Amino acid sequence: MGLRRFMRIGLVAMTAAAVPCAFAQPPSRSPVISPEVHDDHSVTFRFRDPSAQSVKLNLEGAKSMLMEKDDQGVWSVTTPPLEPDFYGYSFNADGVNLIDPSNWMMKPNLISTSSQVHVPGPASLPWEVNDNAHGAVHHHFYRSAVVGDQRDYFVYTPPGYNAKAKQSYPVLYLLHGFSDDASGWTAVGRANVIFDNLIAQEKCKPLVVVMPLGYGAPEIVKEGFGAPDHDGLRQRNFDKFSETLLSEVIPQVEEAYRVKKDRADRAIAGLSMGGAESLRTGLRNLDRFAWIASFSAGELAGTFDSVFPTLDAKANAQIRLLWIACGTDDSLIKGNRNFREWLKSKGVNHEDIETPGAHTWMVWRRNLSNLAPLLFR
């Protein structure tokens, strides 16, 4: 046997012997199953962290729950039965908020991203996907001359929408809350699913829904949840948002989509920060909007008299619907009640809507589901 051949055989043998070591795996351990939804609608959450000293579950709409650790270093807790819905949640391990690494469902947020769990319910719930016709969600990008940045908006078109057909649709401008982005109403609020179902059930008129980025001063997000304390920044955020909506988004939508352009066929609604924006923009531009709604509206950045100096009973001839909703456990309920009392003192007709719940998407999905059938009637 020649030397070269001997060396080749030896090298192959050495390589073969090394392969098991190169691909050796650590000792196997069972994968963590989280979340696990049970038949009674309770949910078990699990999180592996052997070194943590304390882990809590933060579940949307509920108090924090302490988790217990087993001998494998897996922390777990089981909730009481939950109402069918989508719930945001996170883990807090020794003071640090974390997403669930075992769960692919995410709840996007510009300040605090979290995970989501779906507790399924009957097909009658508006946010459950049904076997009916579905609309489409379009994503648009543009450069804002008003703000000086690149921004986006989403557009929902109903089943059967045809850009080449003659039919035109009424349009709803639907606004997200502080810390959300433009995807909030589709990624978390299930707006497209809600409209699909209501249209299929003939409870809602077919319509186009536009969901823009709600920041006129995007730097406000850097202030975190202390942003309401910055009056000047908050005021600029409101004012510049209204300007981007009226001068940029609406013209683009009306050029690209078959939407009606009369004020009677244009609505605006929003949640939290977007609720305040819908009130400010809608009530100060009644020549543009006839349908106005807010869900858990945030602070309006000023006294009601200063924000709406000309609003009085004469506006009733222009307003087709002014719908103001808030959860009874929401910390903003007092401000919403004060605003409704102020409207009453001015003789402005409106509908007061109070439902159980706090400042959560569970409330806002129900708000949207109840509002939609009232629009454009």
Side-chain angles (χ1 to χ4, degrees):
M1 180 183 298
L3 179 59
R4 291 184 179 179
R5 184 181 178 192
F6 176 81
M7 291 177 67
R8 284 199 301 270
I9 294 173
L11 180 60
V12 170
M14 290 173 62
T15 303
V19 166
C21 296
F23 291 92
Q25 298 294 323
S28 63
R29 57 185 182 183
S30 300
V32 174
I33 306 300
S34 179
E36 182 180 2
V37 181
H38 305 291
D39 290 342
D40 67 349
H41 291 172
S42 64
V43 183
T44 298
F45 296 89
R46 299 182 179 92
F47 176 66
R48 193 193 303 276
D49 189 348
S51 62
Q53 300 301 305
S54 175
V55 179
K56 295 187 294 184
L57 168 71
N58 296 322
L59 180 66
E60 187 176 13
K63 294 182 179 180
S64 295
M65 289 175 270
L66 287 172
M67 304 176 74
E68 295 185 357
K69 184 169 67 171
D70 65 15
D71 56 6
Q72 300 298 311
V74 175
W75 298 79
S76 65
V77 67
T78 300
T79 70
L82 301 174
E83 288 292 320
D85 214 321
F86 287 78
Y87 294 81
Y89 73 94
S90 63
F91 300 125
N92 185 291
D94 297 335
V96 179
N97 284 329
L98 303 166
I99 61 171
D100 186 344
S102 301
N103 183 9
W104 62 269
M105 287 185 65
M106 301 296 296
K107 180 183 176 183
N109 192 278
L110 298 178
I111 294 177
S112 180
T113 300
S114 59
S115 302
Q116 279 194 96
V117 59
H118 177 209
V119 179
S124 58
L125 291 176
W127 50 84
E128 295 286 347
V129 174
N130 282 283
D131 188 17
N132 51 30
H134 301 294
V137 177
H138 314 261
H139 196 184
H140 295 268
F141 299 85
Y142 77 99
R143 177 167 182 79
S144 170
V146 173
V147 182
D149 65 0
Q150 297 287 342
R151 52 186 45 220
D152 62 339
Y153 59 91
F154 290 81
V155 178
Y156 165 85
T157 51
Y161 176 88
N162 184 346
K164 296 181 179 179
K166 293 182 179 180
Q167 181 181 1
S168 295
Y169 296 84
V171 57
L172 165 65
Y173 290 86
L174 185 61
L175 315 180
H176 63 76
F178 181 74
S179 79
D180 295 321
D181 62 19
S183 73
W185 268 112
T186 51
V188 187
R190 313 278 293 174
N192 53 309
V193 178
I194 290 171
F195 285 112
D196 283 347
N197 289 330
L198 294 179
I199 291 170
Q201 298 162 12
E202 298 185 346
K203 293 181 178 179
C204 171
K205 284 193 171 185
L207 76 171
V208 169
V209 183
V210 181
M211 294 157 280
L213 185 68
Y215 304 103
E219 62 272 22
I220 197 171
V221 177
K222 296 179 182 179
E223 301 298 330
F225 293 109
D229 297 330
H230 298 263
D231 289 339
L233 180 58
R234 188 163 44 126
Q235 182 70 50
R236 187 167 74 255
N237 187 59
F238 283 140
D239 291 343
K240 289 297 183 180
F241 166 74
S242 291
E243 191 176 348
T244 63
L245 180 67
L246 297 173
S247 68
E248 296 180 333
V249 176
I250 290 179
Q252 289 182 47
V253 169
E254 293 184 345
E255 181 179 356
Y257 290 90
R258 300 199 66 85
V259 295
K260 297 178 179 179
K261 301 177 182 180
D262 187 86
R263 61 176 300 278
D265 294 301
R266 194 182 294 124
I268 187 169
L271 70 91
S272 194
M273 177 187 76
E277 289 172 338
S278 68
L279 293 173
R280 288 174 60 96
T281 305
L283 291 173
R284 302 204 308 188
N285 295 276
L286 290 175
D287 60 324
R288 310 289 292 272
F289 301 95
W291 312 80
I292 303 164
S294 67
F295 316 149
S296 309
E299 297 297 327
L300 292 169
T303 64
F304 302 140
D305 285 313
S306 65
V307 176
F308 307 106
T310 63
L311 188 64
D312 57 26
K314 295 178 183 177
N316 294 330
Q318 295 177 284
I319 298 173
R320 298 288 295 274
L321 178 68
L322 177 54
W323 201 83
I324 302 172
C326 194
T328 54
D329 299 316
D330 195 319
S331 61
L332 297 175
I333 187 68
K334 181 178 179 181
N336 277 262
R337 287 171 175 167
N338 289 342
F339 181 59
R340 296 194 308 241
E341 285 299 314
W342 180 84
L343 288 172
K344 184 178 179 180
S345 73
K346 295 291 184 178
V348 178
N349 297 336
H350 61 281
E351 293 193 22
D352 299 350
I353 310 298
E354 293 191 1
T355 56
H359 205 70
T360 68
W361 278 101
M362 287 85 79
V363 170
W364 303 324
R365 290 187 198 98
R366 288 163 175 80
N367 287 159
L368 182 62
S369 302
N370 291 328
L371 171 70
L374 305 177
L375 297 176
F376 311 118
R377 298 294 182 182

